[in-house]
Amino acid sequence: MQTVFWASGIITVIILLVIIGYILIKGLPAINLEFLLAEPIDSGESGGIAPMIVSSIYVTLVAGIVAAPLGVGAAVYLAEYAGENKVVKLIRFGAETLASIPSIVFGLFGLSFFVIFLGMGWSLFAGGLVLALMALPTIFQVAEVSIEAVPRSYREGSLALGATKWETIYRVVLPAAIPGITTGVILGLARAISEAAAIMFVVGSALSMPISIFDPGRPLPLHLYVLATEGISMENAFGTAAVMVILILIITVVTNTLVERYQKKMMGR
Amino acid sequence: MNRIEVEDLNVCFDDAHILKDINIKIPKNTVTALIGPSGCGKSTFIRTLNRMNDVISGFKHTGMIYLDGEDIYDPKIDVVDLRKKVGMVFQKPNPFPKSIFDNVAYGMKVHGISDKDVIQERVEESLKSAALWDEVKDKLDKSAMGLSGGQQQRLCIARTIAIEPEVILMDEPCSALDPISTTKIEDLIHKLKDDFTIIIVTHNMQQATRVSKYTSFFLHGEIVESNLTERLFLEPEDKRTEDYITGRFG
């Protein structure tokens, strides 16, 4: 039986390595300094992807700034204040439902609500908001679990010293839950940063460099999608994919290192 | 003079009647031990004294508890102020995952003391009073989680002393510790009784005789007998007390 599990583990790792390896092998040759720093020429057949990298950073930042406080706030409410009642069940059910909605539906909603109804027009800001909605359930769910995992004895210790409930939450509970919350935020944003379907109707797909977040733009996954489906350049599509993979790897490794360092300091190991 | 007076205290959690007609007087600057078998209500009782039971659902009580003549369950009483006066040390050491310094400074910060010199000074004093200073003075910025269990418990005592309470409640503070750490905590209790009124719950009857002046014996949610510790152990008035301290049950 152990062999079966061992094999499952090995196969999973191999699949992962093959995919990443394939993308890097096909994509890395397209990447050079010009590719990273120049604007695209002829719809991306040549030139670079600098506006796409900036677009991706913009939408991810907007998504993070909107979704992280909202998700963590809801998690604090549910874990610390709400107890068990109908509203709580409704919020949890809402989060689960939100998580299972197909991303293209989010895109359609974003188009009709943010772009048209609220009159934001095609913009990276609207794209960021759609991605925030998508990242929200993950951030909320992981944050709630991390907050609930903080030992009761910490809370009691703080209350017994005369701290109020809120002081206990923000001075003891949240700092202790930060590693888990960070993981949740990164998980949620990693999904958002690699999303094409959710933003394709919303960001306007412009090729030029976005100056502000209220400009239209074209994040990396959308550029990749257009390059591949419109037969513009498979090489540059793979190049874009490789840049995306590397970006996500960097974000994951950097946050993991920071979280580990924080945990070490906190737990004295 | 009595620091705490409890009159006809009854405590229920939902339908379970945990404490029945508790009457006890706790004199100032003494150590009072509460002994009795598991589940007899000792811990519930001391958690009633700093209103830690308030947050548990289904908690109801009748009767009066006075701290320096003031009814602590009076609606006008601020729980935060009460807990500043009545500190608590728990069964399992529960330092926060913060630095040693921040653990001791926590209560002061919560109570609005922001003067760095005052905090610095009082952290040092508290750690000295808790007989921990020499062991940690060179690593105050290190996490408290890296300390041994006994050191962690003394840190929790230091953290409590730092807010200058009048009463310190201790809920089996040594039950998770080795004998050497236990001795250190007991020595500490001896020292602290000059400045604080200490109520200690203990399973260990030798410990009660070593540290306390008065002892109350709890059984099935009632106080069977309260007396000077020496008297209670040498000449128990109640048959049930005698059975318990001679090890016939419990």
Side-chain angles (χ1 to χ4, degrees), chain A residues 174-251:
Chain A
L174 286 180
I178 278 283
I181 292 173
T182 312
T183 311
V185 171
I186 294 305
L187 271 177
L189 291 184
R191 190 181 162 207
I193 199 177
S194 43
E195 189 55 59
I199 51 165
M200 57 198 299
F201 309 138
V202 181
V203 291
S205 208
L207 281 165
S208 53
M209 178 64 87
I211 306 301
S212 88
I213 54 171
F214 300 106
D215 289 335
R218 188 191 277 190
L220 291 163
L222 185 55
H223 187 57
L224 161 60
Y225 171 78
V226 175
L227 288 183
T229 50
E230 294 182 6
I232 296 167
S233 165
M234 270 328 250
E235 280 147 51
N236 283 351
F238 270 107
T240 310
V243 170
M244 251 168 71
V245 169
I246 293 167
L247 262 180
I248 293 175
L249 277 180
I250 291 174
I251 294 173

Side-chain angles (χ1 to χ4, degrees), chain A residues 153 156 158-159 161 171 266, chain B residues 47 94 97-98 106 111 143:
Chain A
S153 63
E156 287 200 324
S158 171
L159 291 174
L161 287 168
R171 284 178 189 270
M266 192 170 79
Chain B
R47 291 171 63 94
N94 60 346
K98 298 175 181 294
Y106 184 84
H111 294 297
S143 172

Side-chain angles (χ1 to χ4, degrees), chain A residues 51-209:
Chain A
M52 289 76 208
I53 297 177
V54 172
S55 296
S56 266
I57 292 172
Y58 279 180
V59 288
T60 310
L61 278 181
V62 171
I65 289 168
V66 173
L70 215 55
V72 175
V76 167
Y77 173 70
L78 255 65
E80 296 290 330
Y81 288 98
E84 277 301 322
N85 59 43
K86 278 192 182 136
V87 181
V88 170
K89 283 192 184 128
L90 197 70
I91 294 177
R92 276 208 193 96
F93 178 72
E96 278 159 27
T97 315
L98 208 57
S100 58
I101 293 176
S103 48
I104 191 86
V105 177
F106 275 103
L108 211 55
F109 169 78
L111 174 67
S112 63
F113 187 71
F114 295 128
V115 176
I116 298 169
F117 182 72
L118 293 183
M120 289 179 189
W122 285 317
S123 66
L124 293 168
F125 184 64
L129 291 182
V130 174
L131 295 182
L133 293 182
M134 288 195 60
L136 194 56
T138 311
I139 295 176
F140 159 73
Q141 282 165 341
V142 178
E144 194 196 358
V145 172
S146 326
I147 291 169
E148 274 171 356
V150 174
R152 202 183 134 91
S153 63
Y154 292 179
R155 294 180 175 84
E156 287 200 324
S158 171
L159 291 174
L161 287 168
T164 61
K165 184 158 186 164
W166 168 238
E167 284 164 339
T168 301
I169 291 171
Y170 92 92
R171 284 178 189 270
V172 176
V173 177
L174 286 180
I178 278 283
I181 292 173
T182 312
T183 311
V185 171
I186 294 305
L187 271 177
L189 291 184
R191 190 181 162 207
I193 199 177
S194 43
E195 189 55 59
I199 51 165
M200 57 198 299
F201 309 138
V202 181
V203 291
S205 208
L207 281 165
S208 53
M209 178 64 87

Side-chain angles (χ1 to χ4, degrees), chain B residues 191-240:
Chain B
K191 237 175 57 190
L192 293 176
K193 69 166 187 288
D194 298 334
D195 299 313
F196 305 96
T197 304
I198 297 174
I199 304 176
I200 177 171
V201 166
T202 175
H203 253 112
N204 180 328
M205 283 178 277
Q206 282 78 36
Q207 181 167 65
T209 58
R210 283 193 300 260
V211 301
S212 71
K213 181 162 184 202
Y214 298 95
T215 297
S216 288
F217 171 53
F218 277 67
L219 187 65
H220 307 313
E222 289 173 74
I223 294 184
V224 173
E225 193 172 341
S226 295
N227 213 330
L228 282 164
T229 302
E230 220 168 280
R231 290 280 302 279
L232 187 122
F233 280 96
L234 292 178
E235 314 155 39
E237 284 163 16
D238 195 291
K239 179 78 173 60
R240 291 170 292 174

Side-chain angles (χ1 to χ4, degrees), chain B residues 40-222:
Chain B
C40 66
K42 313 174 294 261
S43 292
T44 303
F45 174 67
I46 64 165
R47 291 171 63 94
T48 316
L49 298 178
N50 64 344
R51 294 184 55 175
M52 284 299 280
N53 287 327
D54 286 19
V55 292
I56 295 169
S57 70
F59 170 74
K60 284 189 299 269
H61 84 286
T62 58
M64 304 300 262
I65 300 176
Y66 298 102
L67 172 70
D68 297 323
E70 247 186 324
D71 172 15
I72 65 165
Y73 279 89
D74 188 299
K76 275 178 287 185
I77 292 279
D78 185 355
V79 181
V80 166
D81 286 339
L82 172 71
R83 290 181 186 152
K84 205 176 156 218
K85 288 186 213 155
V86 184
M88 184 166 206
V89 176
F90 294 82
Q91 189 169 353
K92 229 180 115 227
N94 60 346
F96 305 125
K98 298 175 181 294
S99 72
I100 293 169
F101 185 92
D102 286 343
N103 262 278
V104 185
Y106 184 84
M108 285 181 264
K109 285 187 182 153
V110 159
H111 294 297
I113 299 173
S114 54
D115 187 329
K116 284 216 170 87
D117 296 335
V118 174
I119 293 180
Q120 189 91 35
E121 200 175 308
R122 220 196 275 175
V123 165
E124 184 174 336
E125 264 171 40
S126 307
L127 284 168
K128 278 180 179 157
S129 308
L132 189 61
W133 176 251
D134 291 334
E135 290 158 63
V136 301
K137 62 172 185 258
D138 300 321
K139 49 176 183 179
L140 292 174
D141 59 335
K142 292 274 181 334
S143 172
M145 309 307 270
L147 297 173
S148 74
Q151 289 173 322
Q152 286 186 3
Q153 194 63 302
R154 274 179 284 149
L155 179 69
C156 291
I157 294 174
R159 184 172 80 176
T160 307
I161 297 171
I163 55 172
E164 301 179 329
E166 293 163 13
V167 180
I168 301 177
L169 309 170
M170 298 186 172
D171 190 357
E172 298 187 39
C174 303
S175 65
L177 305 182
D178 61 83
I180 294 170
S181 305
T182 300
T183 311
K184 283 189 180 156
I185 303 266
E186 287 179 6
D187 291 345
L188 182 54
I189 292 172
H190 270 293
K191 237 175 57 190
L192 293 176
K193 69 166 187 288
D194 298 334
D195 299 313
F196 305 96
T197 304
I198 297 174
I199 304 176
I200 177 171
V201 166
T202 175
H203 253 112
N204 180 328
M205 283 178 277
Q206 282 78 36
Q207 181 167 65
T209 58
R210 283 193 300 260
V211 301
S212 71
K213 181 162 184 202
Y214 298 95
T215 297
S216 288
F217 171 53
F218 277 67
L219 187 65
H220 307 313
E222 289 173 74

